[in-house]
Amino acid sequence: MTQDDATRTVGYQLKRVQAALRAAMDAALRAHGLTTPQYVCMELLGRRPELSNAELARGGFVTRQSMNVVLRNLEEAGLVSRPATAPSGRALPTRLTEAGERVLEAARADVLAIERRMTAGLDRAQAEVLLRQLDAMAEALSGPE
């Protein structure tokens, strides 16, 4: 495979889109005082309050240690709250604060605008096909060879 061929692979193009999406999100989220991992964490908590650190890490595609740092920074900023001790077991259930909900709502609007810009060339049917194809690709790589 030549260098020109390598840039025409699905994997290369997915990485190219991911890098462009991340750069656009980083720039937009900076105005809200957030990083992309912090935004993802807040989105997860907005949909499923009280997720554990491990669940947030899996959903955010980061390590548990990295998610701990994300949560600590969000907590210091007053955007999430966690009890001092776990109500049962070791997991500290995390919730968005009222301030966190407001920041998430504003940040989400900017992220959705980026999504619309990214998919502007697709009609609804094409977007649905793309989503199914991306799901199938992820599944193909998740299981045994």
Side-chain angles (χ1 to χ4, degrees):
M1 179 181 322
T2 68
Q3 179 65 27
D4 289 338
D5 293 339
T7 63
R8 298 306 308 159
T9 64
V10 173
Y12 181 87
Q13 292 300 323
L14 284 172
K15 183 62 179 168
R16 183 172 164 237
V17 170
Q18 185 273 332
L21 175 60
R22 177 68 186 257
M25 286 179 64
D26 285 346
L29 292 169
R30 201 170 296 121
H32 301 282
L34 295 174
T35 64
T36 296
Q38 288 172 331
Y39 170 77
V40 170
C41 176
M42 291 176 70
E43 271 293 352
L44 292 168
L45 288 170
R47 293 186 175 139
R48 290 190 51 214
E50 300 193 2
L51 288 174
S52 70
N53 180 60
E55 292 166 320
L56 288 167
R58 276 192 298 280
F61 308 105
V62 297
T63 65
R64 288 190 311 266
Q65 294 83 357
S66 293
M67 185 53 68
N68 257 335
V69 173
V70 167
L71 286 170
R72 191 171 31 244
N73 290 335
L74 288 171
E75 195 170 17
E76 287 171 5
L79 302 177
V80 301
S81 63
R82 296 189 290 177
T85 60
S88 64
R90 292 181 20 203
L92 295 175
T94 306
R95 299 184 72 81
L96 292 174
T97 62
E98 286 183 25
E101 289 173 1
R102 286 192 302 274
V103 169
L104 175 58
E105 187 176 329
R108 182 184 291 137
D110 286 348
V111 170
L112 290 175
I114 292 166
E115 173 98 3
R116 285 190 299 276
R117 193 172 90 217
M118 179 176 69
T119 59
L122 303 174
D123 63 30
R124 182 179 288 276
Q126 290 170 319
E128 285 300 319
V129 168
L130 177 59
L131 286 171
R132 283 194 305 275
Q133 291 169 334
L134 291 169
D135 280 340
M137 288 180 216
E139 288 300 316
L141 296 174
S142 297
E145 285 186 43

